[in-house]
Each structure stands twice: as structure tokens, then as C-alpha cells.
Amino acid sequence: MSTEKKTSWTEVLKTHCPGLEISTEAAVLESHGCDWTRFRKPDPSAVVFPRNAEDVSNLVKVAQERRIALVPSGGRTGLSGGAVADAGEVVVSFDRMRRIIDFNAVDRTLTVEAGVVTQAVQEYALQKGLYYPVSFASEGSSQIGGNISTNAGGIRVLRYGLTRERVAGLKVVDGRGELLECNAGLVKNASGYDLRHLFIGSEGTLGLVVEATLWLVDPPKPSRVMLLAVTGLEGMMDVFRRFNDSLVLTAFEFLSDSAMRYVRQGHDLPAPMDTESPFYVVLEFECAEAVTEDLALQCFEQCLEAGSVDDGVISQSEAQAADLWRYREGVSEAITAFTPYKNDLSVRVSEVPAYLQDLDQLVKSRYPDFEVLWYGHAGDGNLHMNILKPGAMAVEEFEQICGRVNPEVFSLTRVHRGSISAEHGIGLLKKPYLSYTRTEADIARMRGIKAVFDPMNILNPGKLLD
Ligand code: S2G
Ligand code: ZN
């Protein structure tokens, strides 16, 4: 976009949105014009910092009149380019909307502005003797508005579901600048289409989340964590079935031996056990009595006899549980320096062994010289494929080579009736491949919905849909 046009957009906002904080400082444009995606160069016209829903509504009204493109930006931890502004858009940051508005002990709901950090919600809930169970590595910087826009999952989806299950009510500004209030915390509300669920996971393309009412849950029961050396993919799912049939699993995560190597190297972690293995599982289960731990150890013995595991360790304290979690939760950060090319894939849980077997074979044959790491949420069928960039290779060349195999990866995913994006969203990076998971008719229906809520196509244009 030309400098003149960028300047004109900024001038329009200064004139018609009095009091709105606007920055065109290079450092702010750079930091707020992107997310964790490393394959696009940020190039916004400006970054604006509304202070409340009214500011957001006024901003969108002016933007839709002047066809000013807006990119919503929360904690900027996205991985599909959903919060990247690389075409002169105006970034709408929710950094100034961080109020915790209301807590209701009877409804067990917490109402917060969109910019409240996920960890702040978790901490507030604990202070009230309750629990906000959506948890993932970037929770210290991600924001509730962004979590809702991408329907963030994390490590305890198996037990508590995704962000979607937590949203009791939503306030959203649509592409006309109108403020919609969806559901207002009702447990039951059979009054037509539940628009809340259209906005959740829409990646900022239908509306800008300004406030959310979240359902909190009982505090978690005491739990135990086990790190197991599994003998292979079939073994991994045998372990899942045995533990899931006998215990209340709160998490069932996996990582490949290559991922284990990098997380140990990156965080200077000791070998968790003597045995090396092609895959490892980190599982967590509710364990309020000693008899439950005995049950878990019986499951482990059965897995040993069945040849599904070679070795394993179980936490005996919260500190040890946290130490075991680091082997899984630390992977993403440990490989950031290698500019990983990511695919975030999902199939039904029962399909994981066959799918991952096929996929690993395909990837190894197509990328013989690249290092490929697997990790993710095996308990809900979500696999994270990370290809590490060889040190000497340019990012653009690396992305291009990796992208060449995507059609085969996504065709295989379609064969296994999976999704090309499990939790990271479509954003910019996965948009060319959307038809591998959604039919053309579905995509047309989504365009129809987009036209209802954002008729001028100013909300995150070019993300998810063209
Ligand atoms: C995870 C975090 C982002 C990534 O660790 O579960 O969703 O792909 C990921 O590294
Ligand atoms: Zn994940």
C-alpha cells in the first residue's frame, strides 16, 4: 500500500475518532503488525488502542464508511498469520481493554474485557476458589479476545473442552460498528440461532470481541502426571485406551524422540528416564485417593505386558508434575529459533496411529534433509508437525519448499477425514488449502455469513476467506 494511502487512513482516524490512541511509531508498527508467524513482514498503516467498546464501535463505523481495513490484535501469539497486517491495514490492539468487569459466584462466571491476559483469568478464578481450565504454553501473553477468536484449545481439551465451552456470553462489534450482545450468560436460551458460536473461532473476520463472560469450573482435583516411553504409535493409542477407560484423564499429550531431543537441549533438561523411545506420552489424571494411583500403576503394568510402553515415571509432587510437563510444554519455545514450518492437523483420535504413520512416511520421503518434529494433543487427535529450517537456508526458500508438499499432506488428511487446522486457525498461511477440509459449498456459505456481519469486508480482510 502506498505511503499516501496509509497516511490518509491515519489522518481520517485522527479526525473522526477523537481521543483514540493512534501510533505510527516504527517499533509499534513492527511489534503489533504481526503474531508468532515468521513468514510475513508486518506493514500496517497504524496501530490503534481503543479503551472501551464505544471506541471500537466508533472506529469500525468510520472504517466501514472509508473502507479502512482493520486487523484485530490480541496477545499476538497466533501461528497462522491471523493477526498479521502486511498490506497497510490498521491494527486494532486490545492492550488498553484489560478490565475484569464482574464475577458472579452463583453463576460461576467472570466477565472481562477482550484484552485481559489468559493467565490473569486463571489467577483471578483461583482467588475465587474456582478454575479457568483453558491452558497452553502462551497463556502468559495471549488475550481472551484472541483465544475466543481462534477457539484456543491447549492441553486439557480432553477433560474441559475448548474455549468455546467456556463462553457464556459475548459482546462483539460487527463490521457495521454495531455492538452485539450474544447470550448474556444464560445456561439455556432457545431463542433462535446462537450467534455467539459464529464469532467464536471466526478469527476476527465477523466481528471484534470486546467483552466475554466466561464459565469457570470447580478447582481441579489432585492429579498425577506420568511420562511414558511408548514403543510406537499403536502402542501410544493402546496406552490412551487403557488409561482413558480406567481413569479420569485430564491430558494426553505426545512428543516424538526428535522433539524430546530439542526440548531437552533447549531447556537443559536431564533424560527423564534411562530408556530412549520413538515417542513419549505425557498424561495427567485426577488422583484424589491412593487407590487411583494404584489403578494407574496397574494400567502401566498392563501396557508393559502388552509391549506398548518400555518405561515410565510418575510424579510424586506438584513440583515433579511441573517438571514432567516441561518436556511437553517447552517444545514450542525450544524450537522457535529454528523458524519451524508448522502444520497443525487433526483427525479422530482412533485415526491417529494410521494417519501419523502415513504422514511421517510422506514427510520423510519428501523432506529427506529436513528435521521433522511431532508433538501435540494425541488425546484429542491434534498433531503438530514442525519442520526445522536448515541454518543456511533462507526463510523464503524454506517456506516455499515446505509449502510444495502441503497438497500431499492435506490430501492425506482429507483421506483420514481430518482437518488442515486443528486449533491454530486458517489465517493467511492455510487459506490456500481451505478446500482440503471444507467443500466449496461450505466456503460459499461462510462467505454469505461474512457478508451479513462485515458487508464492506473491512474486518481482517484476506484472512480465512478471500
Ligand atoms: C502446542 C503451540 C504452538 C506450536 O504446543 O500445543 O499449539 O505449534 C502448540 O508450537
Ligand atoms: Zn497445540
Side-chain angles (χ1 to χ4, degrees), residues 174-202:
D174 73 1
R176 290 185 174 83
E178 287 169 25
L179 180 65
L180 285 80
E181 178 152 11
C182 305
N183 196 57
L186 295 173
V187 175
K188 291 185 174 176
N189 178 3
S191 59
Y193 304 143
D194 187 339
L195 301 184
R196 168 182 41 159
H197 290 294
L198 280 179
F199 291 112
I200 299 169
S202 63

Short mmCIF file of all heavy atoms in Angstrom, two decimals, residues 174-202:
data_model
loop_
_atom_site.label_atom_id
_atom_site.label_comp_id
_atom_site.label_asym_id
_atom_site.label_seq_id
_atom_site.Cartn_x
_atom_site.Cartn_y
_atom_site.Cartn_z
N ASP A 174 -19.63 -5.65 15.21
CA ASP A 174 -19.59 -6.26 13.87
C ASP A 174 -19.04 -5.25 12.85
O ASP A 174 -18.67 -4.14 13.20
CB ASP A 174 -20.98 -6.77 13.47
CG ASP A 174 -21.95 -5.64 13.12
OD1 ASP A 174 -21.55 -4.44 13.17
OD2 ASP A 174 -23.11 -5.95 12.81
N GLY A 175 -19.01 -5.65 11.58
CA GLY A 175 -18.39 -4.83 10.54
C GLY A 175 -19.15 -3.56 10.22
O GLY A 175 -18.66 -2.74 9.43
N ARG A 176 -20.33 -3.38 10.82
CA ARG A 176 -21.04 -2.10 10.64
C ARG A 176 -20.77 -1.17 11.83
O ARG A 176 -21.28 -0.06 11.90
CB ARG A 176 -22.54 -2.33 10.53
CG ARG A 176 -23.00 -3.02 9.26
CD ARG A 176 -24.53 -3.08 9.23
NE ARG A 176 -25.04 -3.60 7.96
CZ ARG A 176 -25.15 -4.90 7.69
NH1 ARG A 176 -24.77 -5.79 8.61
NH2 ARG A 176 -25.61 -5.31 6.52
N GLY A 177 -20.06 -1.69 12.83
CA GLY A 177 -19.81 -0.90 14.04
C GLY A 177 -20.90 -1.09 15.07
O GLY A 177 -20.95 -0.40 16.08
N GLU A 178 -21.81 -2.05 14.83
CA GLU A 178 -22.88 -2.29 15.80
C GLU A 178 -22.40 -3.25 16.89
O GLU A 178 -21.69 -4.21 16.61
CB GLU A 178 -24.10 -2.88 15.07
CG GLU A 178 -24.83 -1.84 14.23
CD GLU A 178 -25.86 -2.47 13.30
OE1 GLU A 178 -26.35 -3.57 13.64
OE2 GLU A 178 -26.15 -1.87 12.25
N LEU A 179 -22.82 -2.96 18.12
CA LEU A 179 -22.43 -3.79 19.26
C LEU A 179 -23.49 -4.87 19.45
O LEU A 179 -24.66 -4.58 19.67
CB LEU A 179 -22.32 -2.94 20.52
CG LEU A 179 -21.92 -3.68 21.81
CD1 LEU A 179 -20.49 -4.22 21.69
CD2 LEU A 179 -22.01 -2.76 23.03
N LEU A 180 -23.07 -6.13 19.34
CA LEU A 180 -23.99 -7.26 19.54
C LEU A 180 -23.73 -7.85 20.91
O LEU A 180 -22.58 -8.02 21.30
CB LEU A 180 -23.75 -8.37 18.52
CG LEU A 180 -24.21 -8.18 17.08
CD1 LEU A 180 -23.19 -7.32 16.32
CD2 LEU A 180 -24.35 -9.53 16.39
N GLU A 181 -24.81 -8.16 21.64
CA GLU A 181 -24.64 -8.90 22.88
C GLU A 181 -25.20 -10.30 22.66
O GLU A 181 -26.38 -10.45 22.32
CB GLU A 181 -25.37 -8.22 24.04
CG GLU A 181 -25.23 -9.03 25.32
CD GLU A 181 -25.29 -8.23 26.60
OE1 GLU A 181 -25.66 -7.03 26.52
OE2 GLU A 181 -24.96 -8.79 27.66
N CYS A 182 -24.34 -11.31 22.80
CA CYS A 182 -24.76 -12.68 22.49
C CYS A 182 -24.88 -13.47 23.79
O CYS A 182 -23.89 -13.65 24.49
CB CYS A 182 -23.74 -13.36 21.59
SG CYS A 182 -23.39 -12.44 20.08
N ASN A 183 -26.09 -13.92 24.12
CA ASN A 183 -26.42 -14.89 25.17
C ASN A 183 -26.35 -14.37 26.60
O ASN A 183 -27.05 -14.88 27.46
CB ASN A 183 -25.57 -16.17 25.04
CG ASN A 183 -26.17 -17.29 25.86
OD1 ASN A 183 -27.35 -17.64 25.64
ND2 ASN A 183 -25.44 -17.78 26.84
N ALA A 184 -25.55 -13.44 26.92
CA ALA A 184 -25.53 -12.79 28.25
C ALA A 184 -25.51 -13.78 29.41
O ALA A 184 -26.20 -13.59 30.42
CB ALA A 184 -26.76 -11.88 28.37
N GLY A 185 -24.78 -14.85 29.27
CA GLY A 185 -24.52 -15.74 30.40
C GLY A 185 -25.61 -16.76 30.70
O GLY A 185 -25.54 -17.48 31.69
N LEU A 186 -26.61 -16.86 29.83
CA LEU A 186 -27.68 -17.84 30.10
C LEU A 186 -27.18 -19.27 29.87
O LEU A 186 -26.45 -19.53 28.92
CB LEU A 186 -28.88 -17.58 29.16
CG LEU A 186 -29.59 -16.25 29.37
CD1 LEU A 186 -30.64 -16.03 28.28
CD2 LEU A 186 -30.24 -16.21 30.76
N VAL A 187 -27.60 -20.17 30.74
CA VAL A 187 -27.23 -21.57 30.51
C VAL A 187 -28.10 -22.13 29.39
O VAL A 187 -27.63 -22.83 28.51
CB VAL A 187 -27.42 -22.41 31.81
CG1 VAL A 187 -27.17 -23.89 31.54
CG2 VAL A 187 -26.50 -21.91 32.91
N LYS A 188 -29.38 -21.74 29.41
CA LYS A 188 -30.27 -22.19 28.34
C LYS A 188 -30.89 -20.97 27.66
O LYS A 188 -31.29 -20.02 28.33
CB LYS A 188 -31.38 -23.08 28.90
CG LYS A 188 -30.87 -24.42 29.39
CD LYS A 188 -32.01 -25.32 29.82
CE LYS A 188 -31.53 -26.73 30.16
NZ LYS A 188 -32.62 -27.59 30.66
N ASN A 189 -30.99 -21.03 26.34
CA ASN A 189 -31.54 -19.89 25.61
C ASN A 189 -31.93 -20.37 24.22
O ASN A 189 -31.11 -20.38 23.31
CB ASN A 189 -30.46 -18.80 25.54
CG ASN A 189 -30.93 -17.59 24.74
OD1 ASN A 189 -32.08 -17.54 24.30
ND2 ASN A 189 -30.03 -16.63 24.54
N ALA A 190 -33.15 -20.81 24.08
CA ALA A 190 -33.58 -21.38 22.79
C ALA A 190 -34.35 -20.32 22.01
O ALA A 190 -35.54 -20.45 21.76
CB ALA A 190 -34.46 -22.61 23.05
N SER A 191 -33.61 -19.22 21.69
CA SER A 191 -34.31 -18.11 21.00
C SER A 191 -33.76 -17.93 19.60
O SER A 191 -33.46 -16.81 19.17
CB SER A 191 -34.13 -16.82 21.82
OG SER A 191 -32.72 -16.57 21.93
N GLY A 192 -33.54 -19.02 18.90
CA GLY A 192 -33.04 -18.91 17.53
C GLY A 192 -31.56 -19.19 17.46
O GLY A 192 -30.97 -19.77 18.37
N TYR A 193 -30.93 -18.77 16.36
CA TYR A 193 -29.51 -19.11 16.12
C TYR A 193 -28.65 -18.52 17.25
O TYR A 193 -28.82 -17.35 17.63
CB TYR A 193 -29.03 -18.53 14.80
CG TYR A 193 -29.84 -18.96 13.60
CD1 TYR A 193 -30.10 -18.08 12.56
CD2 TYR A 193 -30.36 -20.25 13.51
CE1 TYR A 193 -30.86 -18.47 11.46
CE2 TYR A 193 -31.11 -20.66 12.43
CZ TYR A 193 -31.36 -19.77 11.40
OH TYR A 193 -32.12 -20.14 10.32
N ASP A 194 -27.72 -19.30 17.75
CA ASP A 194 -26.82 -18.81 18.81
C ASP A 194 -25.62 -18.15 18.12
O ASP A 194 -24.63 -18.80 17.81
CB ASP A 194 -26.37 -20.00 19.69
CG ASP A 194 -25.59 -19.51 20.90
OD1 ASP A 194 -25.07 -18.38 20.85
OD2 ASP A 194 -25.52 -20.25 21.90
N LEU A 195 -25.74 -16.84 17.91
CA LEU A 195 -24.72 -16.11 17.12
C LEU A 195 -23.36 -16.15 17.81
O LEU A 195 -22.32 -16.04 17.13
CB LEU A 195 -25.18 -14.67 16.91
CG LEU A 195 -26.52 -14.50 16.18
CD1 LEU A 195 -26.81 -13.01 15.96
CD2 LEU A 195 -26.53 -15.25 14.86
N ARG A 196 -23.36 -16.34 19.12
CA ARG A 196 -22.08 -16.44 19.89
C ARG A 196 -21.14 -17.39 19.17
O ARG A 196 -19.95 -17.14 19.00
CB ARG A 196 -22.47 -16.93 21.28
CG ARG A 196 -21.44 -17.37 22.19
CD ARG A 196 -22.03 -17.88 23.51
NE ARG A 196 -23.24 -18.68 23.39
CZ ARG A 196 -23.67 -19.52 24.34
NH1 ARG A 196 -23.00 -19.66 25.45
NH2 ARG A 196 -24.79 -20.21 24.18
N HIS A 197 -21.72 -18.56 18.74
CA HIS A 197 -20.87 -19.61 18.19
C HIS A 197 -20.39 -19.34 16.77
O HIS A 197 -19.51 -20.03 16.28
CB HIS A 197 -21.57 -20.97 18.32
CG HIS A 197 -21.65 -21.43 19.75
ND1 HIS A 197 -20.53 -21.75 20.48
CD2 HIS A 197 -22.69 -21.52 20.58
CE1 HIS A 197 -20.88 -22.06 21.71
NE2 HIS A 197 -22.19 -21.92 21.81
N LEU A 198 -20.95 -18.33 16.15
CA LEU A 198 -20.41 -17.91 14.85
C LEU A 198 -19.13 -17.09 15.07
O LEU A 198 -18.15 -17.22 14.34
CB LEU A 198 -21.43 -17.06 14.10
CG LEU A 198 -22.55 -17.78 13.37
CD1 LEU A 198 -23.48 -16.76 12.72
CD2 LEU A 198 -21.99 -18.73 12.32
N PHE A 199 -19.16 -16.27 16.11
CA PHE A 199 -18.00 -15.39 16.34
C PHE A 199 -16.81 -16.18 16.91
O PHE A 199 -15.67 -15.90 16.61
CB PHE A 199 -18.39 -14.25 17.28
CG PHE A 199 -19.35 -13.27 16.67
CD1 PHE A 199 -20.66 -13.17 17.12
CD2 PHE A 199 -18.95 -12.47 15.59
CE1 PHE A 199 -21.54 -12.28 16.54
CE2 PHE A 199 -19.83 -11.58 15.01
CZ PHE A 199 -21.13 -11.48 15.48
N ILE A 200 -17.11 -17.20 17.74
CA ILE A 200 -16.03 -17.99 18.33
C ILE A 200 -15.32 -18.77 17.21
O ILE A 200 -15.96 -19.49 16.46
CB ILE A 200 -16.58 -18.97 19.39
CG1 ILE A 200 -17.25 -18.20 20.53
CG2 ILE A 200 -15.45 -19.87 19.93
CD1 ILE A 200 -18.05 -19.07 21.49
N GLY A 201 -14.02 -18.55 17.06
CA GLY A 201 -13.27 -19.25 16.01
C GLY A 201 -13.32 -18.57 14.67
O GLY A 201 -12.79 -19.08 13.68
N SER A 202 -13.92 -17.36 14.58
CA SER A 202 -14.04 -16.69 13.27
C SER A 202 -12.82 -15.85 12.93
O SER A 202 -12.79 -15.14 11.93
CB SER A 202 -15.30 -15.81 13.24
OG SER A 202 -15.17 -14.79 14.22
#
